[in-house]
Amino acid sequence: MTGRIKVIRKETKVIDGRRQQVSSVFYECWCDVQDLATSEKYTALQTGLENTIVFKVRNCKKIEEIRLNLKEFYAEYKGMEFKVYNASPMVSDNRRVLLKCRAGA
């Protein structure tokens, strides 16, 4: 299934002497929505991560920045927010990256 996602960066900044969380849209792109692989799915069910999703996106400089700072990024798909917990390049195709996310960010 093809869809459009927004990758949102949530940073903590000091504004007027107080820490506040600031959200901004970092990147928007088309993606293929996939499910976890069989072994990953069983592991996710055992650890309580039932609502997981995989977005297959093209590799670019912004995706590389997401890979380096995973804790700051969330993906928004169809109005639902997902926490990005892994961004790994595909083994067979270096031009694509799998963003693995879990619901309930």
Side-chain angles (χ1 to χ4, degrees), residues 12-27:
T12 303
K13 293 186 178 183
V14 178
I15 301 173
D16 295 329
R18 295 184 179 204
R19 286 184 168 189
Q20 294 181 353
Q21 196 171 41
V22 179
S23 299
S24 61
V25 175
F26 179 73
Y27 184 55

Side-chain angles (χ1 to χ4, degrees), residues 53-103:
I53 193 167
V54 178
F55 300 110
K56 184 164 71 169
V57 297
R58 287 186 183 173
N59 199 1
C60 67
K61 289 182 182 179
K62 291 200 175 199
I63 295 295
E64 288 297 321
E65 188 171 344
I66 292 170
R67 289 181 64 199
L68 294 174
N69 303 312
L70 284 176
K71 291 185 179 181
E72 297 179 2
F73 293 100
Y74 296 83
E76 186 177 300
Y77 177 69
K78 292 190 176 181
M80 204 169 164
E81 202 170 79
F82 296 92
K83 171 79 175 113
V84 178
Y85 70 87
N86 190 1
S88 58
M90 292 185 63
V91 176
S92 60
D93 186 6
N94 197 22
R95 295 175 294 167
R96 300 278 183 181
V97 174
L98 297 176
L99 291 178
K100 295 180 184 178
C101 306
R102 66 176 176 256

